[in-house]
């Protein structure tokens, strides 16, 4: 069911709380309503900052402390097995034991490989989580900077983009809603426009129509922001005509 006043869905959209039908209808509305686009960008920026307040960083040495305690935890002793020791019944009892032992050895070998794989996956997850925390921290720092200035503009396809610049931190962030997905095998790349010279400022997530990213590198006197379509992985120089050009806030 679509709300009678679609303007009231900005907060729910920013928090990904709409069902598919409502989201599609609201994104069609965003193409025509700049006010809702600005409000969604503000809600997303606020949600990102609020999310940081719930992040907990373990104290130094916490991992080592846990591992030391685990090493000292007393394990339950194995239960004794009753095994026949004579005659045919004893031989019958040993057969399943030998089969069970062989099966355990096979499983142990498999688990050894699985443990290595899981360790690598866990390390990758930790590295990714650290990167996400760092990105979120940089984004919050730019958005919350006392000297932060913003400029919002309509982009191609009805999207709404907002660029935030902190001169003191010499960093910029870009927030966008309603961005169309790039063609297959392509991504959007951000650029700092310095008197017509484009300088790489990072890639956008090709699967998210709405996102907030910290632009890579310092502003360093740039006067504008450009967005181009490039092959997956990015490019050292623009490979297409910019799909959007925004002046940075003065």
């Amino acid at each position: 069911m679509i709300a009678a006043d679609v303007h009231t869905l900005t907060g729910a959209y920013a928090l990904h709380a709409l069902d598919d039908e409502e989201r599609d209808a609201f994104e069609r509305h965003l193409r025509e309503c700049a006010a809702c686009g600005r409000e969604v960008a503000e809600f997303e920026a606020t949600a990102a900052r609020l999310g940081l307040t719930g992040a907990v960083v373990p104290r130094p040495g916490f991992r080592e402390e846990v591992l030391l305690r685990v090493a000292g935890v007393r394990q339950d002793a194995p239960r004794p097995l009753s095994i026949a020791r004579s005659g045919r019944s004893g031989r019958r009892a040993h057969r399943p034991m030998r089969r069970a032992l062989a099966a355990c050895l096979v499983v142990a070998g498999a688990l050894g490989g699985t443990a290595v794989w899981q360790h690598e996956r866990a390390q990758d997850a930790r590295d990714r989580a650290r990167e996400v925390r760092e990105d979120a921290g940089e984004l919050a720092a730019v958005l919350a900077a006392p000297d932060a200035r913003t400029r919002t503009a309509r982009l191609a396809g009805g999207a709404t983009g907002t660029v935030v610049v902190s001169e003191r931190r010499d960093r910029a962030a870009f927030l966008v809603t309603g961005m169309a997905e790039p063609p297959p095998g392509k991504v959007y790349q951000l650029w700092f426009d310095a008197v017509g010279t484009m300088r790489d400022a990072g890639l956008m997530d090709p699967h998210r129509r709405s996102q907030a990213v910290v632009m890579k590198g310092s502003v360093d006197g740039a006067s504008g922001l450009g967005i181009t379509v490039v092959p997956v992985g990015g490019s050292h120089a623009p490979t297409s005509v910019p799909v959007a050009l925004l002046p940075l806030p003065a």
Side-chain angles (χ1 to χ4, degrees):
M1 177 68 70
I2 304 300
D5 186 357
V6 70
H7 300 280
T8 63
L9 296 178
T10 52
Y13 178 78
L15 296 176
H16 307 286
L18 301 180
D19 60 31
D20 293 342
E21 180 185 1
E22 291 174 325
R23 185 182 65 253
D24 292 342
F26 186 74
E27 288 179 347
R28 288 194 297 270
H29 169 72
L30 275 180
R31 301 189 188 106
E32 308 295 333
C33 183
C36 280
R38 287 193 297 271
E39 190 167 328
V40 167
E42 292 168 356
F43 272 129
E44 289 180 333
T46 301
R49 293 170 64 182
L50 288 175
L52 291 174
T53 64
V56 177
V57 178
R59 66 180 183 275
F62 182 72
R63 177 176 179 275
E64 290 72 16
E65 180 182 336
V66 171
L67 292 176
L68 285 173
R69 291 189 180 185
V70 169
V73 173
R74 182 178 179 181
Q75 304 297 315
D76 290 337
R79 295 181 179 180
L81 297 176
S82 176
I83 301 176
R85 298 182 178 274
S86 62
R88 187 176 299 174
S89 61
R91 288 193 294 273
R92 285 199 300 269
H94 278 76
R95 287 196 201 102
M97 288 297 294
R98 287 196 295 269
R99 288 196 292 268
L101 177 59
C104 288
L105 291 174
V106 172
V107 171
L111 289 178
T114 301
V116 172
W117 176 79
Q118 289 178 334
H119 174 75
E120 293 174 349
R121 290 292 299 272
Q123 185 61 51
D124 291 343
R126 286 193 292 269
D127 292 343
R128 179 57 185 154
R130 184 182 65 254
E131 293 173 0
V132 169
R133 287 195 300 270
E134 292 173 353
D135 292 344
E138 292 180 8
L139 176 62
V142 173
L143 298 179
D147 66 334
R149 305 184 309 279
T150 65
R151 183 184 294 270
T152 299
R154 296 299 297 273
L155 309 179
T160 301
T162 298
V163 59
V164 183
V165 175
S166 169
E167 183 177 357
R168 182 180 303 174
R169 302 187 67 86
D170 199 22
R171 299 301 301 274
F174 180 62
L175 299 85
V176 65
T177 59
M179 194 76 174
E181 287 194 15
K186 303 287 185 178
V187 295
Y188 291 117
Q189 186 162 353
L190 299 172
W191 306 87
F192 281 117
D193 182 4
V195 196
T197 299
M198 293 295 194
R199 177 160 43 88
D200 174 30
L203 301 176
M204 296 175 60
D205 187 334
H207 305 297
R208 297 185 59 189
R209 292 175 57 83
S210 299
Q211 55 190 292
V213 297
V214 177
M215 298 178 66
K216 186 175 71 175
S218 61
V219 178
D220 193 23
S223 59
L225 171 152
I227 306 173
T228 65
V229 178
V230 300
V232 170
S235 175
H236 296 297
T239 57
S240 70
V241 175
V243 297
L245 287 172
L246 288 75
L248 297 186

